[in-house]
Amino acid sequence: MAEKTAAPDLFAGINRPKDPNNLTELEKKHIPVITAPDKVKPGECFEVVVEVGKLLAHPNENAHFIEFIELYAGHVYLARMDFTACATCPVMKVCVSLGKDLGPLRVFERCNLHGVWEADKPITVG
Ligand SMILES: [Fe+2]
């Protein structure tokens, strides 16, 4: 029987760093890094860039890769990008326009071996 390479509890929920000031290698490979303005005007288009593996490169091969990145403002779904192994890199660039303050930008990414990981970034609309 093949040995599993992922800790089972990574699939029990959404993963976040246990200590943001002392990230493990696993956390560095999976935490989505969000680049976006701190403040935007209502209705103004702005760019959001989400990178997985920015802090420490994540593998990108058939047996181990990032399957998708999803972007929300608060609980409002904004965008999703699906990835294949080898042919794509887990970076999502999207232009967004928010009519009002909905809460922080929230990102979820899923690794096929290490589950779903979340990050957020405050943004003010006004
Ligand atoms: Fe992974």
PDB file of all heavy atoms in Angstrom, residues 30 58 64 66 111 113-114, ligand 1:
ATOM      1  N   HIS A  30       2.596  27.359   0.876  1.00  0.00           N
ATOM      2  CA  HIS A  30       1.160  27.327   0.581  1.00  0.00           C
ATOM      3  C   HIS A  30       0.399  28.607   0.884  1.00  0.00           C
ATOM      4  O   HIS A  30      -0.728  28.755   0.411  1.00  0.00           O
ATOM      5  CB  HIS A  30       0.514  26.160   1.336  1.00  0.00           C
ATOM      6  CG  HIS A  30       0.961  24.839   0.812  1.00  0.00           C
ATOM      7  ND1 HIS A  30       2.050  24.176   1.310  1.00  0.00           N
ATOM      8  CD2 HIS A  30       0.494  24.087  -0.209  1.00  0.00           C
ATOM      9  CE1 HIS A  30       2.234  23.065   0.626  1.00  0.00           C
ATOM     10  NE2 HIS A  30       1.314  22.983  -0.307  1.00  0.00           N
ATOM     11  N   HIS A  58       6.681  26.420  -4.482  1.00  0.00           N
ATOM     12  CA  HIS A  58       5.851  25.220  -4.354  1.00  0.00           C
ATOM     13  C   HIS A  58       6.095  24.340  -5.575  1.00  0.00           C
ATOM     14  O   HIS A  58       6.225  24.852  -6.683  1.00  0.00           O
ATOM     15  CB  HIS A  58       4.367  25.614  -4.284  1.00  0.00           C
ATOM     16  CG  HIS A  58       3.458  24.464  -4.036  1.00  0.00           C
ATOM     17  ND1 HIS A  58       3.029  23.635  -5.040  1.00  0.00           N
ATOM     18  CD2 HIS A  58       2.929  23.987  -2.891  1.00  0.00           C
ATOM     19  CE1 HIS A  58       2.261  22.701  -4.503  1.00  0.00           C
ATOM     20  NE2 HIS A  58       2.179  22.898  -3.212  1.00  0.00           N
ATOM     21  N   HIS A  64       1.982  16.830  -7.669  1.00  0.00           N
ATOM     22  CA  HIS A  64       1.893  17.820  -6.590  1.00  0.00           C
ATOM     23  C   HIS A  64       1.815  19.213  -7.206  1.00  0.00           C
ATOM     24  O   HIS A  64       2.802  19.709  -7.735  1.00  0.00           O
ATOM     25  CB  HIS A  64       3.126  17.695  -5.684  1.00  0.00           C
ATOM     26  CG  HIS A  64       3.076  18.557  -4.466  1.00  0.00           C
ATOM     27  ND1 HIS A  64       4.167  18.752  -3.673  1.00  0.00           N
ATOM     28  CD2 HIS A  64       2.061  19.280  -3.896  1.00  0.00           C
ATOM     29  CE1 HIS A  64       3.844  19.553  -2.666  1.00  0.00           C
ATOM     30  NE2 HIS A  64       2.567  19.888  -2.788  1.00  0.00           N
ATOM     31  N   ILE A  66      -0.764  23.178  -7.420  1.00  0.00           N
ATOM     32  CA  ILE A  66      -1.866  24.028  -6.957  1.00  0.00           C
ATOM     33  C   ILE A  66      -3.008  23.893  -7.956  1.00  0.00           C
ATOM     34  O   ILE A  66      -2.820  24.126  -9.151  1.00  0.00           O
ATOM     35  CB  ILE A  66      -1.415  25.501  -6.838  1.00  0.00           C
ATOM     36  CG1 ILE A  66      -0.216  25.626  -5.887  1.00  0.00           C
ATOM     37  CG2 ILE A  66      -2.579  26.382  -6.370  1.00  0.00           C
ATOM     38  CD1 ILE A  66      -0.438  25.087  -4.488  1.00  0.00           C
ATOM     39  N   CYS A 111      -4.032  22.951  -2.752  1.00  0.00           N
ATOM     40  CA  CYS A 111      -2.955  22.064  -3.211  1.00  0.00           C
ATOM     41  C   CYS A 111      -3.506  20.641  -3.198  1.00  0.00           C
ATOM     42  O   CYS A 111      -4.197  20.261  -2.252  1.00  0.00           O
ATOM     43  CB  CYS A 111      -1.754  22.190  -2.264  1.00  0.00           C
ATOM     44  SG  CYS A 111      -0.540  20.876  -2.478  1.00  0.00           S
ATOM     45  N   LEU A 113      -2.096  17.933  -2.557  1.00  0.00           N
ATOM     46  CA  LEU A 113      -1.572  17.105  -1.465  1.00  0.00           C
ATOM     47  C   LEU A 113      -1.720  17.740  -0.085  1.00  0.00           C
ATOM     48  O   LEU A 113      -1.637  17.038   0.923  1.00  0.00           O
ATOM     49  CB  LEU A 113      -0.076  16.833  -1.679  1.00  0.00           C
ATOM     50  CG  LEU A 113       0.311  15.864  -2.774  1.00  0.00           C
ATOM     51  CD1 LEU A 113       1.813  15.618  -2.734  1.00  0.00           C
ATOM     52  CD2 LEU A 113      -0.443  14.548  -2.641  1.00  0.00           C
ATOM     53  N   HIS A 114      -1.910  19.059  -0.041  1.00  0.00           N
ATOM     54  CA  HIS A 114      -1.857  19.746   1.253  1.00  0.00           C
ATOM     55  C   HIS A 114      -3.085  20.585   1.567  1.00  0.00           C
ATOM     56  O   HIS A 114      -3.049  21.435   2.454  1.00  0.00           O
ATOM     57  CB  HIS A 114      -0.580  20.592   1.332  1.00  0.00           C
ATOM     58  CG  HIS A 114       0.669  19.772   1.208  1.00  0.00           C
ATOM     59  ND1 HIS A 114       1.485  19.816   0.099  1.00  0.00           N
ATOM     60  CD2 HIS A 114       1.195  18.851   2.042  1.00  0.00           C
ATOM     61  CE1 HIS A 114       2.487  18.963   0.273  1.00  0.00           C
ATOM     62  NE2 HIS A 114       2.337  18.363   1.432  1.00  0.00           N
TER      63      HIS A 114
HETATM   64 FE    FE B   1       1.543  21.384  -1.674  1.00  0.00          FE
END
